């Protein structure tokens, strides 16, 4: 479904990604794990069209998307939930969700989308007229995910969904990610909480200073000595 081949990205003279390659099959949850600064967010931002690659290619369903603007990539079915949530703080919950539905062309599509999102996130329904900036961190994460789901993505790119959340809320958010996947949305997950990421993923890749150093099934990587030592605290 998604193929990244020999992808290189630089910020000036600093190489952020050094020719990485990986793939995501339809229906999977695939994680990219690694320390801060490994290139995880850069990878997602490049797939989304927010950054331009220096070399390599990104293909979605066999079609190269590396030179498309971000809104075109969303229209194809690839949507990102950004790191730090990035909700529109001075707009209501409802207005934030409506912003996520800008690709919707069907009559009644926005209304149907809101119904689906409110069924998935009842707390957002309760707070639909509240300003997004007054929500808790967990509620803002749910709003960012709900806003992304309004575009009916086929693949959802999640960037650090657990960041800044209390452990109980992290469990809730990851449970919701599993439900979204079970409903048919493919997930590419970037996450520093390697234990949580691997616990819900089928496969994973380990990024280190812009290179993929390990890959395999999530269960294999959970038992890998390097992963246990560096990311699982064992």
């Amino acid at each position: 479904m998604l193929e990244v081949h020999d992808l290189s990205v630089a910020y000036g003279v600093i190489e952020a990604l050094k020719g990485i390659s990986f793939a995501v099959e339809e229906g999977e949850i695939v994680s990219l794990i690694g320390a801060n600064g490994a290139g995880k967010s850069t990878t997602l931002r490049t797939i989304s069209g927010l950054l331009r690659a220096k070399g390599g290619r990104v293909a979605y369903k066999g079609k190269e998307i590396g030179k498309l603007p971000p809104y075109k990539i969303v229209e194809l079915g690839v949507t990102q939930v950004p790191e730090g949530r990035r909700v529109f703080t001075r707009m209501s919950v409802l207005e934030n969700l409506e912003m996520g539905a800008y690709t919707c062309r069907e009559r009644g599509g926005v209304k149907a989308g809101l119904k689906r999102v409110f069924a998935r996130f009842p707390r957002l329904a309760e707070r639909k007229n509240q300003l997004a900036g007054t929500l808790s961190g967990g509620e803002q994460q749910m709003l960012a995910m709900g806003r992304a789901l309004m575009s009916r993505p086929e693949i959802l790119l999640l960037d650090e969904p657990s960041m800044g959340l209390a452990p109980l809320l992290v469990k809730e958010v990851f449970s919701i990610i599993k439900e979204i996947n079970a409903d048919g949305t493919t997930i590419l997950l970037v996450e520093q909480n390697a234990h949580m990421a691997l616990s819900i993923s089928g496969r994973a890749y380990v990024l280190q200073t812009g290179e993929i150093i390990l890959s395999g099934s999530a269960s294999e990587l959970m038992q890998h000595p390097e992963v246990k030592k560096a990311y699982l605290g064992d």
Side-chain angles (χ1 to χ4, degrees):
M1 191 178 202
L2 180 72
E3 187 189 0
V4 170
H5 180 70
D6 201 23
L7 194 66
S8 300
V9 178
Y11 297 102
V13 295
I14 299 163
E15 276 196 286
L17 295 177
K18 303 165 187 173
I20 66 167
S21 298
F22 66 91
V24 181
E25 301 291 341
E26 190 171 351
E28 283 193 299
I29 299 180
V30 173
S31 284
L32 298 178
I33 61 172
N36 234 341
K40 304 185 305 296
S41 293
T42 297
T43 303
L44 289 197
R45 287 170 63 78
T46 307
I47 293 167
S48 296
L50 298 167
L51 291 174
R52 284 281 171 257
K54 189 176 84 171
R57 65 193 287 272
V58 178
Y60 176 64
K61 292 183 170 180
K63 177 186 176 181
E64 189 155 356
I65 62 170
K67 292 186 169 58
L68 294 179
Y71 75 93
K72 287 282 186 195
I73 293 172
V74 173
E75 285 174 359
L76 288 174
V78 182
T79 305
Q80 182 172 346
V81 179
E83 180 183 355
R85 304 180 260 286
R86 304 285 181 92
V87 297
F88 301 105
T89 56
R90 296 184 184 187
M91 293 166 67
S92 71
V93 166
L94 184 61
E95 288 167 334
N96 268 268
L97 293 173
E98 287 169 343
M99 288 290 280
Y102 77 93
T103 59
C104 186
R105 303 284 183 268
E106 316 153 28
R107 191 170 178 177
V110 176
K111 198 174 178 180
L114 289 170
K115 192 176 176 181
R116 280 192 304 272
V117 169
F118 288 148
R120 169 84 60 218
F121 303 102
R123 249 178 287 181
L124 297 183
E126 292 162 16
R127 291 159 172 69
K128 66 180 180 183
N129 296 315
Q130 198 171 315
L131 288 181
T134 65
L135 299 177
S136 69
E139 288 162 351
Q140 287 192 13
Q141 184 61 52
M142 289 173 195
L143 178 56
M145 288 163 71
R147 181 180 60 190
L149 290 173
M150 287 294 290
S151 68
R152 301 291 301 271
E154 292 178 6
I155 182 166
L156 192 60
L157 315 178
L158 286 160
D159 196 352
E160 303 283 7
S162 78
M163 186 184 277
L165 300 185
L168 259 179
L169 274 172
V170 171
K171 277 188 174 176
E172 188 178 350
V173 164
F174 274 80
S175 175
I176 291 165
I177 293 168
K178 279 174 73 177
E179 288 170 15
I180 291 167
N181 176 248
D183 282 350
T185 306
T186 304
I187 307 275
L188 176 58
L189 171 65
V190 152
E191 182 55 66
Q192 265 190 295
N193 186 333
H195 194 276
M196 286 303 290
L198 292 174
S199 74
I200 68 164
S201 299
R203 295 187 304 110
Y205 297 84
V206 181
L207 266 173
Q208 187 175 294
T209 56
E211 295 178 279
I212 290 172
I213 57 161
L214 286 169
S215 66
S217 73
S219 54
E220 284 169 357
L221 290 176
M222 271 209 178
Q223 300 308 317
H224 196 287
E226 277 183 60
V227 175
K228 286 170 86 167
K229 186 180 172 189
Y231 307 110
L232 301 177
D234 292 352

